[in-house]
Amino acid sequence: MLRTHTCGELRIDHVDHEVTLIGWINAVRDHGGLKFVDLRDRYGRIQVQISQESIGGDALETLRFDQVLKVTGSVMERPDGMRNPKLETGDVEVIASSTEILGECPPLPFNPDSGDQVNDELRFRYRFIDMRREEIQRRFRLRSDMQFAMRQYLHGHDFLDLETPMLTKSTPEGARDFLVPSRQNPGEFYALPQSPQIFKQIFMISGFDRYMQVVRCFRDEDLRADRQPEFTQLDLEMACIDESDIMGLVEGLMEHVVKEVTGKEVTLPFPRLSYKEAMLAYGSDSPDMRSDLRIQEFSDLVEGLEFKVFSGAVESGGAVRGMRIPGGGQWSRKEIESLEPIVKQQGAGGLAWFKMTDDGPAGPVSRFLAGAAGEELIQRLGMEPGDLACFVADKQTRVVVNSMGQLRKELAIKLGHIEPGVLNFCWVEEFPLFDEDEETGQPTPCHHPFTCPHPDDLSNLESKPL
C-alpha cells in the first residue's frame, strides 16, 4: 500500500511504529534546517518533522500549502508543553526519514480555510478546492453517514432497496418535467422523474410490499430556498398498512438516524397537528417548533374594534391575525417599525402593533382597544406588561398567512429561540388536495394527486360509472 495509516488515526499507541502517510500540506513552520508540517487528509491532521536529510536537494525550501506529500517515518510522543489538545493526534508527531513531493501546487485562487469569506462565484468555479475545507468535508461525511443509517434501519424492517428508471414517460405531478430528446425517435422525448411514484406503486401490486430508494428527482421549477431543480430524497412505499403504521415507522427511522449520526435523542411520539392548525398557528405547513411563538385569528372581533383597516380586510373576504411577542414591549419604535418590511415583502400593506404597559395598551392600535372587543383581544393574546402584539390584515388570507409566518420566523431568530442543533420534529396531517385561488376562485393543487381523500370528504365525490 502507498500509505500505512491516515493522518487522523495516529495515537500514543503508535509510538515507535514506522508509518507512511500521504496528505496535503496544511501549514509549514520554519525552524531553520528543520520544518514542522501539518499534514492533512479527510481523516484529520498530524504534525510531521521534515529535515534536509529526509527530503534531499533544495526541496525543503520549496514546501508550501496544499502540496501533496508522501512521508515515511517514526511516530514519536510529543514533549510535555508541545502537545496540541485541539487535535486528536496532538500527543504524537512523525519524524520523517524520507519525504517525497507527489503533487506540486501553484498559488491557489483562495485559501480553503477562508472559504466563507470568498466570493461564492469563485468558490464554485474552483469547487474542488472549496471541497478541501474541513467544514465542507464534514457535511459530506454527515450525508454519507445519514444514508447508511437510513438503509441500516429500513433493511432491518424488511425493506428492499430497489432502483427505478431515470428515463420515463411524463406523468401528472406537481411541477414541470425536464425533457430529454430521444435520438432514435426524433421529435419524441423522455421525461426525467419528479419522483418514482408510478414505479413504486407497480412494486406494490407486484408483491414487493416494502420498497425503499435513495433517489435523485428532477423538477423544472423556479429556484427557491426549499425548491431545487434536482434533489435527493428517501423514497418509501408500503403495502397492507394504515396511517399509524407509516408514522410509527418514520418516527423510529428518525430516532435511529439522529442517534447514529449525532448521538442525540429525540422524543417520541412526534406532536401532530392538522394542516389548518399549522397554517393558523405557525403560518407554514412545515413549522419550526423550536419557538413557542403562536399566531392567532382575530377576524371575529373586528366589528367591535371599529378599526377600518381590520374590518375592511374581513369584509373583503380576508382575515386579521396577530401574535404576542413576550418582552417585545421593551423595543424602541424604530426597532418595531423595522419589522414592517418583512410583511410587506409578502404582499401585506403594513404592520399594526401595540405595546402592553402597566397603564394598559400603548401604540398605534391602542385607541381601538377600549371596548369589550379590545379586552377580548388582549385576553386571547395573554398580554402582560412589557409584551408587544403585532397584526397583519389583508383581503387575501394567503397574504396574511405568509406575512405572519415569515414574521414569526424572523422574530424567533431575533429572540434567540432558534438554537442550532436542536431537533423538534412534528407531523402535519390532513393536507388538502386543493386550495382555492383567492384571485380567480379556481382550485389549485396543494398536494400530489396520488392521495386518498379525507374520509369526511368522500360523500362529496360524484359517483360515475366506469
Side-chain angles (χ1 to χ4, degrees), residues 403-418:
S403 299
M404 290 302 298
Q406 189 61 37
L407 179 64
R408 179 182 179 273
K409 288 182 183 179
E410 298 289 342
L411 287 171
I413 295 171
K414 182 179 178 69
L415 293 168
H417 292 182
I418 309 303

Side-chain angles (χ1 to χ4, degrees), residues 80-100:
D80 291 338
M82 302 294 290
R83 302 173 189 264
N84 186 350
K86 295 181 180 179
L87 294 180
E88 293 184 353
T89 62
D91 291 332
V92 297
E93 61 184 349
V94 175
I95 310 300
S97 57
S98 69
T99 306
E100 181 183 357

Side-chain angles (χ1 to χ4, degrees), residues 253-456:
L253 170 65
M254 297 308 298
E255 180 185 37
H256 174 79
V257 170
V258 170
K259 187 170 184 178
E260 290 293 313
V261 174
T262 71
K264 297 180 180 180
E265 302 283 348
V266 297
T267 302
L268 300 183
F270 298 161
R272 300 186 183 187
L273 60 159
S274 70
Y275 175 86
K276 289 182 179 180
E277 291 170 336
M279 298 303 285
L280 170 60
Y282 303 103
S284 171
D285 60 10
S286 54
D288 191 331
M289 305 290 284
R290 291 174 292 181
S291 173
D292 57 4
L293 293 176
R294 293 177 67 91
I295 303 163
Q296 297 184 57
E297 177 83 39
F298 298 103
S299 300
D300 58 317
L301 299 178
V302 296
E303 288 187 12
L305 296 176
E306 297 183 357
F307 184 24
K308 289 186 178 180
V309 173
F310 286 3
S311 60
V314 175
E315 288 170 3
S316 300
V320 177
R321 294 183 182 179
M323 179 169 49
R324 167 180 169 256
I325 300 97
Q330 309 301 320
W331 299 343
S332 68
R333 187 182 188 98
K334 184 177 181 181
E335 285 181 291
I336 297 171
E337 290 178 347
S338 70
L339 303 174
E340 192 164 55
I342 298 172
V343 300
K344 284 189 172 181
Q345 288 174 359
Q346 303 300 318
L351 184 70
W353 59 272
F354 74 88
K355 297 179 178 182
M356 197 66 183
T357 71
D358 291 330
D359 299 323
V365 180
S366 59
R367 60 195 178 98
F368 302 104
L369 305 176
E375 291 180 8
E376 173 68 17
L377 182 146
I378 292 171
Q379 185 177 358
R380 280 194 203 175
L381 283 168
M383 296 291 288
E384 297 179 359
D387 290 346
L388 171 71
C390 293
F391 304 87
V392 170
D394 196 272
K395 63 181 181 180
Q396 296 187 53
T397 302
R398 172 181 53 82
V399 170
V400 178
V401 170
N402 294 341
S403 299
M404 290 302 298
Q406 189 61 37
L407 179 64
R408 179 182 179 273
K409 288 182 183 179
E410 298 289 342
L411 287 171
I413 295 171
K414 182 179 178 69
L415 293 168
H417 292 182
I418 309 303
E419 185 178 347
V422 172
L423 300 173
N424 282 23
F425 296 107
C426 73
W427 286 107
V428 178
E429 307 175 285
E430 300 178 5
F431 272 73
L433 283 176
F434 299 96
D435 271 338
E436 181 179 309
D437 189 301
E438 297 191 17
E439 294 182 355
T440 66
Q442 297 298 312
T444 58
C446 184
H447 208 294
H448 65 71
F450 305 96
T451 305
C452 180
H454 191 282
D456 293 345

Side-chain angles (χ1 to χ4, degrees), residues 13-281:
D13 293 343
H14 295 96
V15 168
D16 294 331
H17 286 204
E18 188 81 3
V19 299
T20 298
L21 308 175
I22 296 177
W24 284 267
I25 294 178
N26 201 67
V28 179
R29 295 178 293 280
D30 195 344
H31 287 246
L34 192 66
K35 292 199 175 183
F36 289 83
V37 170
D38 287 344
L39 202 64
R40 78 166 193 276
D41 57 19
R42 77 176 180 91
Y43 303 94
R45 285 188 289 159
I46 183 71
Q47 179 173 285
V48 180
Q49 285 190 34
I50 302 177
S51 63
Q52 182 70 45
E53 293 75 19
S54 68
I55 195 168
D58 298 327
L60 186 65
E61 301 305 318
T62 66
L63 295 178
R64 62 173 176 266
F65 181 81
D66 258 20
Q67 284 177 323
V68 179
L69 295 187
K70 178 181 179 182
V71 175
T72 298
S74 297
V75 180
M76 303 295 290
E77 185 174 359
R78 290 204 202 186
D80 291 338
M82 302 294 290
R83 302 173 189 264
N84 186 350
K86 295 181 180 179
L87 294 180
E88 293 184 353
T89 62
D91 291 332
V92 297
E93 61 184 349
V94 175
I95 310 300
S97 57
S98 69
T99 306
E100 181 183 357
I101 299 175
L102 296 182
E104 289 288 353
C105 182
L108 299 178
F110 63 91
N111 187 327
D113 289 340
S114 60
D116 288 337
Q117 287 77 47
V118 177
N119 178 279
D120 284 346
E121 183 179 350
L122 186 64
R123 283 179 54 201
F124 286 104
R125 181 182 301 171
Y126 297 97
R127 182 62 168 161
F128 64 96
I129 296 175
D130 186 56
M131 289 193 297
R132 295 176 187 175
R133 295 168 53 203
E134 184 176 345
E135 172 60 21
I136 299 297
Q137 294 200 353
R138 184 193 68 80
R139 295 177 186 177
F140 276 100
R141 287 195 299 270
L142 178 68
R143 177 188 175 95
S144 176
D145 291 345
M146 182 177 68
Q147 291 191 12
F148 176 78
M150 290 190 302
R151 287 188 167 99
Q152 183 185 48
Y153 177 86
L154 292 170
H155 286 183
H157 285 74
D158 298 326
F159 279 78
L160 294 178
D161 192 347
L162 305 173
E163 286 188 343
T164 53
M166 277 290 136
L167 296 176
T168 182
K169 182 179 180 180
S170 182
T171 57
E173 299 265 358
R176 289 183 296 272
D177 291 319
F178 278 109
L179 301 178
V180 180
S182 170
R183 177 181 59 83
Q184 294 180 331
N185 299 282
E188 300 292 327
F189 296 84
Y190 296 104
L192 298 180
Q194 296 182 36
S195 80
Q197 187 75 46
I198 297 294
F199 300 112
K200 65 183 182 181
Q201 290 176 341
I202 291 175
F203 282 137
M204 295 301 103
I205 62 175
S206 300
F208 298 94
D209 64 324
R210 293 198 168 198
Y211 143 92
M212 67 149 292
Q213 184 180 189
V214 178
V215 62
R216 205 71 173 162
C217 298
F218 306 87
R219 297 179 183 179
D220 189 8
E221 294 184 317
D222 296 333
L223 289 176
R224 284 181 283 167
D226 60 348
R227 294 290 186 274
Q228 302 297 321
E230 57 176 309
F231 58 92
T232 303
Q233 70 180 30
L234 172 62
D235 202 68
L236 303 174
E237 190 74 35
M238 301 169 67
C240 308
I241 60 165
D242 60 19
E243 189 176 81
S244 62
D245 293 321
I246 188 66
M247 286 183 163
L249 178 98
V250 172
E251 287 180 354
L253 170 65
M254 297 308 298
E255 180 185 37
H256 174 79
V257 170
V258 170
K259 187 170 184 178
E260 290 293 313
V261 174
T262 71
K264 297 180 180 180
E265 302 283 348
V266 297
T267 302
L268 300 183
F270 298 161
R272 300 186 183 187
L273 60 159
S274 70
Y275 175 86
K276 289 182 179 180
E277 291 170 336
M279 298 303 285
L280 170 60

